[in-house]
Amino acid sequence: MLAVWRAVVFLLAGTVAAFVCLLALPVMLILCLVARPAALALLARTTRWERTRVAKYTGRPIPEAAPPDRLRDVWRDLIWFVGHALTGTVVGIFGVALPLAAVNAVLVPAYWWLAPADDPVSSPYPVTSWTGAAFMPLLGLGYAILSLWATPWLARTQAGLARWLLSPPPGARLAERVAELTASRAAALEAHGAELRRIERDLHDDTQNRIVAVAMHLGIVERALRRDPATALPLVLKAQDAASDALAGLRGVVRSIYPPVLTERGLDGAVAGLIARCAVPTTLTVTTLGRAPAAVESAAYFVVAEALTNVAKHSGANRCEVRLTGADPLVIEVWDDGQGGADETGGTGLLGIQRRVAAFDGHATIDSPDGGPTVLKVELPNGS
Ligand SMILES: Nc1ncnc2c1ncn2[C@@H]1O[C@H](COP(=O)(O)OP(=O)(O)O)[C@@H](O)[C@H]1O
Ligand SMILES: [Mg+2]
């Protein structure tokens, strides 16, 4: 019954749309054939609506191709438009009329005698006696059985045709995928370049300065040793301090390239370490986490590190949750009950996450309505 009801709703919406398409058909055809942008945009909107309608009914989305801008790309949409305009109304009315006829036939015995004698209830035969009326529910049963099969079949056929015409052809999917991969390769190169520049800056501005300081101190020690060796000891200690300082800086740079804790404790252990240092009480849930390539684990680690820094710095949250799930893709979710309003354009951290993740052909989404909560969800394909 539910299947018939869903099919009736689907077909009714299709009938209304088909009727409107039919009225607009001549104008649309002419305007699309001369490739008027407004008509093409209207066609794209109509097919998007149809995709949503079919996806809701069948539970399977129809993939959308890149927006077409030429007639060559649009002909499948146009064939659907013409086909739906010409057949949608008839198919819809037939699919909806069957169950309605079943209901009507069952009700006829209750009201046939109200009809005037010269204009009796006459579907499909004139009902002029109680015997005639008594047969109607039997006929209703026949209609009901027929519509139980025919109405969902009509809806499925209409949905199937729409899916066939409105899905991008396999070649287009492939072309789209190539475009996506080209973009992600460009993002990978860009991220790699940015990373190299950052390491170069860190080594140049920080580590190098600290080593220069060590060299300077050693120069002073040398001169002191020549003049008066007794005064050299405190200077040696200073040089030693400067060397320790330089070493600490160097360790910092190494950690920012690939945190050694990842090798030692794995991603879950490393993230647990980050959480232990987070000012907001945070829980960690790990489900079926496998080992991923070093670059992916490192990206995941930096994503969590940035997300937790944001939670501590901006959210005002009382509670935070980090979830790590799966191996391919590796899914990272960071949830906080703070004030929300995270905005990618407000700084560099979230954009950095986007760029890092795009380099792996992954996705990052942030959902942060005003008033919270904030959820950052990142999917990182493993590449294996
Ligand atoms: N968890 C969060 N809760 C509330 N606001 C956030 C959160 N994360 C980020 N934001 C907001 O989004 C902005 C952009 O974040 P981000 O790109 O990391 O920049 P920043 O360098 O300021 O941390 C932040 O300035 C902050 O206002
Ligand atoms: Mg930040």
Side-chain angles (χ1 to χ4, degrees):
M1 274 312 278
L2 183 69
V4 177
W5 174 244
R6 289 189 66 237
V8 165
V9 173
F10 175 78
L11 287 171
L12 263 181
T15 310
V16 175
F19 188 65
V20 177
C21 289
L22 190 62
L23 291 182
L25 187 61
V27 180
M28 263 306 257
L29 264 182
I30 293 169
L31 290 184
C32 281
L33 288 173
V34 294
R36 297 295 302 195
L40 295 181
L42 189 62
L43 182 64
R45 278 182 79 157
T46 318
T47 52
R48 204 170 307 133
W49 177 85
E50 177 70 0
R51 278 195 186 90
T52 320
R53 183 174 80 102
V54 172
K56 260 197 206 144
Y57 179 62
T58 57
R60 269 190 312 137
I62 303 181
E64 193 166 352
D69 56 0
R70 288 184 308 277
L71 192 59
R72 190 164 54 94
D73 303 329
V74 106
W75 65 269
R76 289 172 75 96
D77 285 11
L78 206 54
I79 290 181
W80 169 81
F81 190 92
V82 176
H84 191 68
L86 295 180
T87 63
T89 318
V90 181
V91 167
I93 288 177
F94 191 62
V96 175
L98 264 177
L100 282 183
V103 173
N104 178 51
V106 172
L107 292 180
V108 162
Y111 75 85
W112 70 273
W113 46 272
L114 286 174
D118 55 344
D119 186 15
V121 174
S122 63
S123 172
Y125 58 85
V127 180
T128 48
S129 66
W130 283 104
T131 328
F135 275 107
M136 283 302 280
L138 265 183
L139 200 72
L141 192 67
Y143 282 149
I145 290 172
L146 192 64
S147 79
L148 223 53
W149 168 80
T151 307
W153 182 82
L154 285 170
R156 273 199 310 274
T157 310
Q158 193 174 71
L161 266 173
R163 177 178 301 281
W164 180 61
L165 279 168
L166 298 182
S167 295
R173 289 290 303 150
L174 207 61
E176 239 173 71
R177 188 73 192 121
V178 169
E180 276 169 22
L181 287 176
T182 312
S184 82
R185 193 188 58 169
L189 288 175
E190 173 59 32
H192 182 62
E195 192 69 357
L196 282 180
R197 282 194 295 279
R198 184 188 62 75
I199 295 167
E200 192 266 339
R201 289 311 330 154
D202 281 357
L203 287 174
H204 180 274
D205 298 348
D206 187 60
T207 318
Q208 180 175 284
N209 283 349
R210 296 187 201 206
I211 293 174
V212 166
V214 175
M216 260 171 49
H217 279 108
L218 286 176
I220 299 170
V221 169
E222 188 204 356
R223 263 173 273 136
L225 279 173
R226 286 185 201 284
R227 264 200 329 266
D228 179 7
T231 57
L233 185 63
L235 297 171
V236 168
L237 292 178
K238 258 194 180 169
Q240 198 178 24
D241 277 352
S244 309
D245 195 35
L247 201 59
L250 197 57
R251 282 211 189 98
V253 177
V254 170
R255 264 199 297 276
S256 75
I257 299 170
Y258 181 75
V261 65
L262 280 175
T263 329
E264 291 155 19
R265 298 174 56 193
L267 181 60
D268 44 348
V271 168
L274 285 176
I275 285 175
R277 269 178 273 141
C278 183
V280 177
T282 303
T283 52
L284 171 66
T285 316
V286 180
T287 329
T288 60
L289 189 70
R291 283 309 303 243
V296 175
E297 286 196 343
S298 163
Y301 177 84
F302 286 118
V303 165
V304 177
E306 172 59 27
L308 289 180
T309 310
N310 278 352
V311 171
K313 220 164 75 175
H314 306 296
S315 73
N318 296 314
R319 218 155 55 77
C320 171
E321 271 179 45
V322 177
R323 283 185 286 272
L324 300 175
T325 320
D328 192 12
L330 166 62
V331 181
I332 306 159
E333 277 171 294
V334 182
W335 173 95
D336 71 66
D337 68 350
Q339 68 204 7
D343 177 12
E344 277 178 9
T345 53
T348 50
L350 291 175
L351 275 181
I353 289 182
Q354 290 283 10
R355 220 171 285 136
R356 238 181 232 282
V357 170
F360 292 93
D361 200 18
H363 296 285
T365 47
I366 185 149
D367 183 25
S368 181
D370 281 333
T374 299
V375 188
L376 170 75
K377 183 171 178 188
V378 167
E379 285 183 19
L380 276 172
N382 220 323
S384 55

